[in-house]
């Protein structure tokens, strides 16, 4: 599990938005409503919940500093 600042990756950022799996889910309308991710994959939901609480994005930190 990651604690602290997340290391940004441009490659992962681009691939996550252009993946075929993501496109198929969005085009067929199989998206889950916000906050209901635990219904699709509870294990992944729990992991992401902890990960997002224990780490932070460097770009969000910079945005808060220079706002």
């Amino acid at each position: 599990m990651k604690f602290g600042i997340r290391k940004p990756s441009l490659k992962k950022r681009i691939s996550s938005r252009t993946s075929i799996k993501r496109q198929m889910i969005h085009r067929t309308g199989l998206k889950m409503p916000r906050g209901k991710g635990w219904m699709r994959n509870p294990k992944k939901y729990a992991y992401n919940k902890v990960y997002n609480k224990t780490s932070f994005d460097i770009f969000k930190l910079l945005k808060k500093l220079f706002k």
Side-chain angles (χ1 to χ4, degrees):
M1 185 60 65
K2 176 77 175 163
F3 293 98
I5 299 174
R6 287 183 223 135
K7 189 167 53 170
S9 171
L10 186 61
K11 184 179 176 182
K12 286 182 183 179
R13 186 178 253 182
I14 292 169
S15 66
S16 68
R17 305 219 185 274
T18 58
S19 71
I20 293 171
K21 183 179 177 182
R22 182 176 196 267
Q23 295 297 323
M24 293 302 293
I25 289 171
H26 279 255
R27 288 181 183 169
T28 57
L30 296 174
K31 297 183 287 185
M32 283 290 187
R34 285 186 75 72
K36 303 288 185 193
W38 57 270
M39 291 183 347
R40 177 178 278 177
N41 191 342
K43 190 175 180 181
K44 185 177 181 180
Y45 174 80
Y47 175 86
N48 286 335
K49 190 83 168 173
V50 172
Y51 179 81
N52 287 324
K53 294 229 182 238
T54 59
S55 63
F56 55 92
D57 187 16
I58 188 75
F59 295 118
K60 287 184 182 178
L61 179 68
L62 291 173
K63 189 176 180 181
K64 284 183 181 180
L65 288 175
F66 294 109
K67 197 168 187 180

